[in-house]
Amino acid sequence: MKATKEEIVSKLRQDMLRWEGFRPPKPGANNDLGLGPVAASFPDGVFPTGAIHEFISCRPEDTAATGGFIAGLVQKLLLSGGACLWISYTRRIYPPALKLFGVDPDRVIFIDVPLQKDVLWVTEEALKCEGVATVICESKDLSFTESQRLQLAVEKSHVTGFVLRKDVKKVNTTACVTRWQISPVRSQLRSGMPGVGHPRWQVELLKVRNGKPGNWIIEWKKLSFRTVIIPELTEASRRYA
């Protein structure tokens, strides 16, 4: 039976996604990271695991917010087993704080590299280990060639990698599948209660290969992401006295 035009186009689309590093989830694998409406931005509506994701941070507070958002993703990825490697030359993450995001610090191997220039080399070698669930790399610089090497590493191992770029002055082109920018947003307090509320972020998906960029306000509550819709404030109509 000859394939219809729609079937040919669908197969070509799937081939292109595979050539660009996207792979359909394995049977029985759960790729739903609980991002809700954000997932619709990805090809086939599935968060691309086994790929490199880039996070841009220009301010220290954005770096802290990005670390929390990534920890939420890591919590979902670790549900399938394996360990997490966190590689940095200036680590600021406080391991016990990971418990807020459901990540047991005992399942995270922190690798502190003395020199920044060695961070990406260590990350590339870590990404080649098939028994690792995810690798997080804190770096300032990431060239296109370096990002290509990281992407090639995960295409064989299917490990999911996150590159948290700190103090970025100029954004350059990379081969990463997605590019994100996370900023903190004021949390909502319980009525009449002091303190702080649940972590809340402005999540911007700046680039996604074959997907649709967008931005959302997302809150971390009860070990899950929750999209927050803030009603627009309408100015009261004025009346003449």
Side-chain angles (χ1 to χ4, degrees), residues 193-206:
M193 296 292 290
V196 295
H198 299 286
R200 191 176 276 195
W201 311 288
Q202 179 74 48
V203 176
E204 295 183 71
L205 182 57
L206 303 175

Side-chain angles (χ1 to χ4, degrees), residues 12-49:
L12 283 173
R13 185 176 292 118
Q14 294 300 322
D15 288 343
M16 290 178 64
L17 291 174
R18 191 172 64 253
W19 295 333
E20 292 179 344
F22 290 93
R23 289 179 177 80
K26 296 179 180 178
N30 182 12
N31 282 33
D32 182 11
L33 301 190
L35 288 171
V38 182
S41 295
F42 307 124
D44 295 331
V46 179
F47 181 88
T49 56

Side-chain angles (χ1 to χ4, degrees), residues 51-52 85 87 120 122-130 132 134-136 149-151 153-163:
I52 299 296
L85 270 63
I87 304 165
L120 292 173
V122 175
T123 300
E124 182 181 345
E125 294 302 312
L127 289 170
K128 294 176 182 176
C129 301
E130 298 180 359
V132 174
T134 179
V135 175
I136 302 165
R149 293 179 64 91
L150 299 182
Q151 186 60 37
V154 299
E155 287 180 5
K156 294 181 180 178
S157 65
H158 299 178
V159 176
T160 303
F162 301 104
V163 179

Side-chain angles (χ1 to χ4, degrees), residues 8 77 88 126 147 161 170 178 193 212:
I8 294 173
L77 291 170
S88 175
S147 64
K170 183 178 180 181
T178 65
M193 296 292 290
K212 298 176 182 177

Side-chain angles (χ1 to χ4, degrees), residues 52-56 66 70 120 123 127 135-142 147 150 161-166 176 180:
I52 299 296
H53 302 268
E54 177 187 19
F55 289 80
I56 299 295
T66 305
I70 291 177
L120 292 173
T123 300
L127 289 170
V135 175
I136 302 165
C137 166
E138 292 187 37
S139 177
K140 182 177 180 180
D141 302 317
L142 180 67
S147 64
L150 299 182
F162 301 104
V163 179
L164 201 176
R165 299 183 61 188
K166 301 184 288 189
C176 298
W180 305 72

Side-chain angles (χ1 to χ4, degrees), residues 30-137:
N30 182 12
N31 282 33
D32 182 11
L33 301 190
L35 288 171
V38 182
S41 295
F42 307 124
D44 295 331
V46 179
F47 181 88
T49 56
I52 299 296
H53 302 268
E54 177 187 19
F55 289 80
I56 299 295
S57 168
C58 303
R59 305 177 301 169
E61 54 267 38
D62 292 346
T63 302
T66 305
F69 183 78
I70 291 177
L73 297 175
V74 168
Q75 183 254 352
K76 303 294 183 183
L77 291 170
L78 288 178
L79 293 177
S80 301
C84 169
L85 270 63
W86 199 306
I87 304 165
S88 175
Y89 68 99
T90 55
R91 178 162 58 91
R92 295 289 184 268
I93 193 75
Y94 181 56
L98 294 175
K99 292 183 178 179
L100 174 65
F101 301 96
V103 178
D104 187 348
D106 292 341
R107 296 189 63 184
V108 182
I109 301 172
F110 295 99
I111 302 175
D112 297 327
V113 182
L115 300 177
Q116 182 192 339
K117 65 179 183 180
D118 293 332
V119 169
L120 292 173
W121 175 77
V122 175
T123 300
E124 182 181 345
E125 294 302 312
L127 289 170
K128 294 176 182 176
C129 301
E130 298 180 359
V132 174
T134 179
V135 175
I136 302 165
C137 166

